[in-house]
Amino acid sequence: MPEAPKNTLKTSDYNLAEKNKISLQFIEDVTSNADEVQKKVLEEILSRNAHVEYLQRHGLNGQTDRETFKKAVPVITYEDIQPDINRIANGDTSQILCSKPISEFLTSSGTSGGERKLMPTIEEELGRRSLLYSLLMPVMTQFVPGLEKGKGMYFLFIKSEAKTPGGLVARPVLTSYYKSTHFKERPYDPYTNYTSPNETILCPDSYQSMYSQMLCGLCQHKEVLRVGAVFASGFIRAIRFLEKHWKLLASDIRTGIIDPQITDPSVREAVMKILKSDPKLADFIEAECSKESWQGIITRLWPNTKYVDVIVTGTMSQYIPTLDYYSNGLPLVCTMYASSECYFGVNLNPICKPSEVSYTLIPTMAYFEFLPVHRNNGVINSVSMPKSLNEKEQQELVDLVDVKLDQEYELVVTTYAGLYRYRVGDVLRVVGFKNKAPRFSFICRKNVVLSIDSDKTDEVELQSAVKNAVNHLIPFDATLAEYTSYADTTTIPGHYVLFWELSLNGSTPIPPSVFEDCCLTIEESLNSVYRQGRASDKSIGPLEIKIVEPGTFDKLMDYAISLGASINQYKTPRCVKFAPIVELLNSRVVTCYFSPKCPKWAPGHKQWSKN
């Protein structure tokens, strides 16, 4: 993820080595004094928000010590504060959660009731996020020197935003950041020298934005030292875009004139400052892109690239083989760990294998607590945890410096912007320490079974969507005997696949259009993040239903038992990831059907009236 500088130096007196040294010393200081810093952070949050309604409600009475805080304030989920969030969204400006005014809502990729969660934020949080960004490159240059001598080719995009009934903007955290002066008017810093002009990043039309960013990246191909996007899935979409449009892009470089489909005047003007007629470069691009294999295309077109900067932890790990193929095995670097709720930490060993990525939480970002995760089944892909905690579980939470090596925890945060003991929903494992601060590997999101991009679908939601869809089968006297699903990332963009085994009692054959209706009904029943990915961002492909032969799920059970599953406790998994199981299911597919169109989606929440 790209970074924002925190300096006011002019180009003439810019001392990079000194700036890097200060940043690394900051990391050293806050991790060495992690507990003292955390104590101060909590005191600061509680003293400045002493009179807010939420803390008064829980009887904190201005106390700022940990013990009183933990006794008085409950550990919560989004649903617990949703009534407060709704009041703010509807225009109540009283001090409900925070003494500072809520400047906007950041829309989380997690959902509640099928709609994106709204995370309150305040103006000063942008400074805190910028600080974390400013630490990334000083860490990186310890492993890859000389990055200030070239540019970063990052594919960065804004997403659509909405206004709440009370007039506050609601938008994703990165859209908020890219539209802020912290990003747009960033002072000189060689590490934030990107091939994409701001105008191309801020263009709301996703095609024009991608096209112009790719064009600028090709024009400056020799200067590019690092490439990336936020998520692995987004970077692969950029490569697939190049596969589709390289002839047009090469033609623009040959003539020095940008394609007429790029109509945004500010984008055209910004690109024309970079685009010059270069027939030799156009020949080179055409020669490389017309080769039969696209293996190593990144290092072929951008020969000085040292690494790919994308998130490949959690569900994004499914894209690692594709990235390795396109990049000729360049290092895949995950630099930071952040969410809509809060920015958390940095990877202090960025040139590690993707499977070894860990993040050190920066103690100044928020007050962190950790809820131990107890698992009996050993299933990593989805951890199911109770929504509400009993008194004993509330007392199990530990502070940042008290976590134990190899133990798994759910992250709980108290932020400057009005979240108190809030369960983020991420499961982390302690893998080491930097001084007194723990290093965590990201294990998974709790309850998530399917994910392609930033979407997160849990088992309950999937079950409900399937239940809605099978109503289409009733007129044909057919029922769904069993089903499972998986996220297919061999297609770009990836898509959800459902394997259905049917019980057919009627004699009338079921027309293909009925199964297509089933696909669309499932999509219409899924959350707004999924539907936005399908309809607006085009980051998810059409959902597919594969009808399998009768007896397939018996074979699946036999296979699971042969691997040691208990016959008494076996139940059909609603999501499968293990390659041999996917192969078994695919070997018994009779027919496939895809969703015929995109599901309905509009920015904002269903209950908000049009602004």
Side-chain angles (χ1 to χ4, degrees), residues 471-531:
N471 287 332
H472 293 292
L473 305 179
I474 293 169
F476 301 91
D477 205 8
T479 53
L480 182 62
E482 267 300 359
Y483 77 93
T484 190
S485 64
Y486 85 109
D488 184 351
T489 54
T490 59
T491 60
I492 300 172
H495 69 291
Y496 289 8
V497 175
L498 274 71
F499 295 98
W500 279 16
E501 184 177 320
L502 301 177
S503 294
L504 300 168
N505 305 312
S507 53
T508 314
I510 304 170
S513 61
V514 170
F515 288 114
E516 289 175 357
D517 288 343
C518 290
C519 293
L520 184 58
T521 299
I522 292 171
E523 293 199 306
E524 294 278 12
S525 306
L526 293 177
N527 62 66
S528 67
V529 182
Y530 174 89
R531 287 180 285 112

Side-chain angles (χ1 to χ4, degrees), residues 173-226:
V173 62
L174 289 173
T175 299
S176 164
Y177 179 66
Y178 300 147
K179 286 189 163 189
S180 74
T181 54
H182 285 262
F183 181 78
K184 291 195 292 189
E185 296 169 20
R186 56 195 188 273
Y188 170 77
D189 185 323
Y191 295 143
T192 60
N193 194 0
Y194 304 131
T195 55
S196 298
N198 287 354
E199 292 83 354
T200 63
I201 294 167
L202 296 169
C203 175
D205 182 299
S206 59
Y207 175 87
Q208 293 189 54
S209 178
M210 178 75 89
Y211 189 96
S212 54
Q213 290 191 60
M214 185 63 79
L215 184 58
C216 292
L218 289 166
C219 289
Q220 303 167 83
H221 76 126
K222 284 188 177 163
E223 297 173 68
V224 171
L225 299 184
R226 54 201 168 106

